[in-house]
Amino acid sequence: MSEPILKLNNLCTVFHTARGRFTAVDGVNLELFPGEVLGLVGESGSGKSVTLRSILRLVRPPGRVSGEVRWRGRNLLSLSEPQMRQVRGGEISMIFQEPMTALNPVLPVGEQIAETLREHTELSGNALRQRAIELLELVGIPSPKERLRDYPHQFSGGMRQRVMIAIALASNPKLLLADEPTTALDVTIQDQILKLLLRLKDTLGMSVILVTHDLGVVAQTCERVAVMYAGRIVEVAPAAELFAQPRHAYTLGLLNSVPGAGSTRRPLIPIPGAPPDLTALPPGCSFAPRCAFATDECTAQRPPLMDISGPESPAVRLTACIHHDALSAAGEVTR
Amino acid sequence: MAAPALLTVKPRARRRLKPSLVAGLVIIGAFVLMALFPQVIAPYSPTAFDYQAVLQGPTAKHLFGTDNFGRDVFSRVVWGAQLDMQIALFTTLFPFLFGTLIGALTGYYGRWADAIFGRVVDIVVTFPFLVLVIAIVAVLGPGLKNMYIAVSAVGWITYGRLIRAEIRGQKRAEYALAGQVMGYTPARIIFRHLLPNAITPAIVYWMTDMALGILLGSSLGYLGLGAQPPTAEWGVLIADGKNFLATAWWISTFPGLAITLAGVGFSLLGDGLADLLRPRG
């Protein structure tokens, strides 16, 4: 396999507040390879979005990021702010959950695309305009020439997300961070946007990290999946294998709590309890208090992320579950 | 088919100007015209004495009557517009610009900049506005220039607070974060992206503030701390006529009406602008 393009080493993001110390991202190690789509899944508050923002150093005070974000040989966490601005939007772009508010309401969209082009390319004048039209065409906006003058409120939600993608792609980034890009959209538009992202990924040769809590989206788009819980990565696996045979009790719980469309109807099995308080994480596995498989061993100390890729599965599989063997024996996904 | 025709109508074209905006524009427009071309509109010189026509009531020859020196009150009110429009602008322009700048910076950066600004606000709002202005003018000496300095030193606070609050709200919007993601500098995010979204309340308040500025200028003129006689300034004119209120009501009344009308005009304008600039979905 080729060299990873992005490598997170022990990434931690901590918020010091009056109510205590929130560990939103707790020692995340992750690799991303060129041209890959990696899904980052987990419940709300599991640290997915904060991880993305930490990569681009967009965490506002009182949040502090530590560890290492190794991007094409450089540690982003040690770059100066002007150097970081070159990376943001230039090499790494990001799109957001809320297309309704992620565009500036008082500027025409053409102007907003042009602004990014001016910032990160040498284009000007007519060439710049042409490129803006091209970008809108690329993301599938009909009659792009006319729509350059339109304001964000004249676009529908799906169209706005397309405009956001066009802006994010303006400078040919090598990595696109997508923070729940389809959550605010209805299912048909969601499908269109995901297909668009996949197509653009191939034509532009980007890597994508797709943050979502929607396992359906993951199954449809991602090659590899990392599951997050309470700020930690608990399982990493190729998407197909993860769905077929989860090797972490939390992943199994997630899969059992999702209705399987089209298959035989079955009762949903929710995960009991609620995610832990980030100011007071349990000492061992943070999922242990909600876990049916939990033993004393789980609560004694924090289980590390173990490599369990065996001869039968050549791709790298990681899990932080001590009982991953018990899971594969007992835990058929009930679908 | 009617439907396509309807669809082609741009939303902007359907927006009708509010009556309050039109009324405000007409009133302020009239005063601005007076201020620009007083010599065309006023039939007499504002300072020419005419002892043949002293303390005459309103007639066709002297629309607003004459004062105790035989000066034409209408002409003085018209020339007064020049000075009072100037006062409206100069007592508010610097506060608007400076307050916007400070408010934008403190609102965006927060933390220590915000803490300092907060204490300055606390100090200034402890004193009644007029008392503070009068105190500053008393120290600097009476006159228009010192009045501008005094009002500016105090007035920017309000704009700063307005803009700060708006920027604090706007900077949480995702487009501000998106701007950061695109690698824009903080200056660009603040002034190109956040400020246009945050400036509306300040502009609307600016209009009201101009009315207050005229009132303040007139008050200080009346008290002898602003424009000095024989300059035609509405506050000075009212002061001129106060000894003749019982016998020649017109000397003070017409400048007073001019102040009222200008105040109403600016308020209507501010009101109308608030409607016009209100963001739509």
Side-chain angles (χ1 to χ4, degrees):
Chain A
M1 215 167 198
S2 54
E3 279 291 293
I5 191 171
L6 176 80
K7 210 168 166 202
L8 307 182
N9 288 327
N10 196 26
L11 186 75
C12 292
T13 304
V14 178
F15 292 84
H16 293 273
T17 69
R19 283 189 296 137
R21 199 166 161 274
F22 286 83
T23 312
V25 179
D26 190 1
V28 163
N29 295 300
L30 201 59
E31 289 180 340
L32 182 73
F33 296 94
E36 182 185 39
V37 183
L38 176 76
L40 197 55
V41 297
E43 286 168 89
S44 304
S46 59
K48 307 168 300 214
S49 296
V50 182
T51 302
L52 277 201
R53 281 164 203 216
S54 302
I55 292 174
L56 281 178
R57 287 188 13 208
L58 292 170
V59 178
R60 287 211 183 93
R64 298 192 81 116
V65 185
S66 63
E68 196 185 32
V69 178
R70 194 145 281 280
W71 164 251
R72 304 213 278 184
R74 293 187 295 175
N75 180 9
L76 293 186
L77 296 186
S78 61
L79 291 188
S80 71
E81 197 53 32
Q83 285 173 319
M84 198 59 214
R85 279 200 288 274
Q86 290 303 310
V87 175
R88 289 187 196 131
E91 299 171 27
I92 305 179
S93 273
M94 187 163 169
I95 53 176
F96 299 97
Q97 179 175 356
E98 271 298 331
M100 309 313 261
T101 59
L103 293 167
N104 186 339
V106 301
L107 290 179
V109 299
E111 189 46 43
Q112 300 190 47
I113 298 175
E115 197 173 4
T116 312
L117 287 172
R118 268 185 234 115
E119 194 73 31
H120 294 289
T121 66
E122 303 293 314
L123 296 175
S124 65
N126 220 24
L128 189 134
R129 209 181 116 76
Q130 276 312 317
R131 177 74 181 134
I133 295 173
E134 243 174 67
L135 281 165
L136 284 188
E137 221 159 36
L138 190 68
V139 297
I141 289 181
S143 51
K145 213 185 214 156
E146 287 70 36
R147 304 232 65 183
L148 280 182
R149 282 191 307 273
D150 284 351
Y151 288 86
H153 73 269
Q154 290 164 304
F155 288 82
S156 67
M159 284 295 160
R160 277 188 225 193
Q161 192 57 286
R162 284 170 195 262
V163 171
M164 265 319 290
I165 294 172
I167 293 175
L169 297 182
S171 55
N172 286 327
K174 286 280 144 238
L175 170 60
L176 182 69
L177 306 176
D179 189 356
E180 308 208 17
T182 56
T183 306
L185 306 172
D186 68 51
V187 186
T188 46
I189 307 298
Q190 184 172 325
D191 185 58
Q192 290 173 14
I193 296 286
L194 289 175
K195 288 210 170 98
L196 172 70
L197 277 179
L198 288 184
R199 202 188 78 217
L200 292 173
K201 183 214 80 165
D202 286 338
T203 38
L204 303 176
M206 300 183 292
S207 309
V208 179
I209 299 183
L210 182 70
V211 159
T212 178
H213 57 247
D214 187 335
L215 291 171
V217 169
V218 173
Q220 193 184 349
T221 44
C222 299
E223 290 145 30
R224 261 188 339 134
V225 189
V227 182
M228 271 189 99
Y229 184 76
R232 296 173 191 166
I233 302 271
V234 294
E235 182 168 9
V236 182
E241 291 185 32
L242 184 100
F243 283 106
Q245 201 177 53
R247 300 293 289 271
H248 192 284
Y250 176 62
T251 316
L252 179 69
L254 267 190
L255 292 175
N256 279 337
S257 63
V258 175
S263 61
T264 43
R265 287 169 62 89
R266 58 168 179 90
L268 297 180
I269 308 166
I271 304 175
D277 181 358
L278 292 179
T279 56
L281 287 174
C285 172
S286 42
F287 185 61
R290 302 168 74 182
C291 182
F293 296 87
T295 55
D296 289 346
E297 212 184 337
C298 297
T299 48
Q301 58 174 332
R302 180 177 160 182
L305 203 54
M306 296 166 283
D307 191 338
I308 52 160
S309 31
E312 75 281 4
S313 61
V316 177
R317 288 206 65 166
L318 304 171
T319 179
C321 190
I322 296 171
H323 303 292
H324 59 87
D325 282 333
L327 280 183
S328 56
E332 276 303 298
V333 180
T334 47
R335 63 167 80 191
Chain B
M1 275 215 308
L6 264 178
L7 286 174
T8 57
V9 176
K10 287 264 175 187
R12 195 164 286 273
R14 281 206 307 265
R15 293 175 69 81
R16 302 262 297 277
L17 291 180
K18 280 273 180 332
S20 66
L21 184 67
V22 175
L25 279 174
V26 167
I27 295 171
I28 299 307
F31 279 120
V32 168
L33 277 181
M34 277 187 212
L36 290 177
F37 312 107
Q39 64 276 35
V40 179
I41 297 164
Y44 303 94
S45 158
T47 49
F49 295 168
D50 178 3
Y51 292 112
Q52 308 304 314
V54 170
L55 292 176
Q56 287 185 351
T59 57
K61 202 168 161 219
H62 296 286
L63 270 179
F64 291 176
T66 61
D67 69 3
N68 54 324
F69 296 110
R71 292 177 294 196
D72 179 50
V73 174
F74 178 67
S75 301
R76 283 177 70 71
V77 169
V78 170
W79 279 89
Q82 188 166 53
L83 203 54
D84 279 271
M85 287 297 127
Q86 199 184 318
I87 289 173
L89 187 66
F90 288 164
T91 51
T92 53
L93 186 63
F94 175 81
F96 174 73
L97 296 177
F98 187 66
T100 299
L101 179 71
I102 296 294
L105 293 179
T106 54
Y108 186 77
Y109 285 108
R111 293 155 92 69
W112 60 266
D114 207 33
I116 295 174
F117 177 68
R119 297 298 80 73
V120 173
V121 169
D122 287 347
I123 293 168
V124 173
V125 296
T126 315
F127 297 96
F129 182 66
L130 197 60
V131 173
L132 201 54
V133 170
I134 289 174
I136 297 176
V137 173
V139 172
L140 296 175
L144 278 180
K145 201 180 87 194
N146 289 342
M147 184 185 90
Y148 294 150
I149 294 174
V151 176
S152 299
V154 183
W156 65 273
I157 292 282
T158 316
Y159 294 95
R161 290 165 74 189
L162 274 175
I163 294 285
R164 173 184 164 274
E166 282 292 317
I167 292 276
R168 280 174 67 94
Q170 292 290 338
K171 82 169 180 186
R172 310 212 176 281
E174 279 194 329
Y175 71 82
L177 189 64
Q180 268 185 296
V181 168
M182 297 312 154
Y184 300 158
T185 58
R188 178 178 218 137
I189 293 172
I190 296 173
F191 293 107
R192 186 168 158 76
H193 291 272
L194 295 179
L195 204 51
N197 283 292
I199 197 108
T200 305
I203 291 179
V204 171
Y205 177 75
W206 188 13
M207 294 301 123
T208 320
D209 199 29
M210 287 215 232
L212 296 175
I214 289 181
L215 276 179
L216 185 75
S218 306
S219 307
L220 292 177
Y222 182 88
L223 295 171
L225 295 169
Q228 299 298 309
T231 322
E233 191 276 326
W234 295 337
V236 174
L237 296 188
I238 295 175
D240 282 350
K242 71 172 183 294
N243 293 331
F244 306 96
L245 265 184
T247 50
W249 54 268
W250 52 88
I251 305 179
S252 292
T253 305
F254 288 110
L257 284 176
I259 293 175
T260 311
L261 196 59
V264 170
F266 278 120
S267 297
L268 288 173
L269 199 58
D271 209 38
L273 277 181
D275 257 5
L276 192 72
L277 299 176
R278 186 177 301 145
R280 344 157 212 150

